[in-house]
Amino acid sequence: LQALTRLSAHRNRLADLPATLWRLTSLRSLSIGENPLGTLPARIGELGNLTHLYIHSLGLTALPASLGELTNLHTLDLGHNA
């Protein structure tokens, strides 16, 4: 799975993100929208190869500073958060 470049886990009723997610350093696209997460872990900054991040409808009220470490991002979908 370490070579995985795209992961779509939207609408899966995830309350937390699995620890194994942070090992997927080849990810370029991550879609975790429409899950009841409420917060985005600071570890999101560890996924430095991300070019597309879809975190819509998570109930977010704040973003971790580490989001700024994702310097390769071309697409960031934050829609429908608190």
Side-chain angles (χ1 to χ4, degrees):
L1 285 177
Q2 289 187 354
L4 190 69
T5 60
R6 184 176 179 163
L7 177 62
S8 179
H10 66 281
R11 290 187 186 173
N12 278 289
R13 299 181 186 163
L14 298 174
D16 287 310
L17 296 174
T20 54
L21 177 65
W22 315 117
R23 291 189 221 144
L24 302 177
T25 55
S26 295
L27 276 182
R28 297 202 179 275
S29 178
L30 177 62
S31 176
I32 53 173
E34 298 182 53
N35 283 295
L37 293 173
T39 61
L40 189 63
R43 293 190 73 181
I44 194 71
E46 295 176 26
L47 300 177
N49 286 318
L50 282 179
T51 57
H52 304 284
L53 179 59
Y54 303 94
I55 51 175
H56 58 88
S57 306
L58 296 180
L60 300 176
T61 58
L63 296 172
S66 63
L67 196 62
E69 296 172 24
L70 300 178
T71 57
N72 292 315
L73 273 184
H74 293 276
T75 305
L76 176 60
D77 183 353
L78 294 167
H80 303 285
N81 281 290

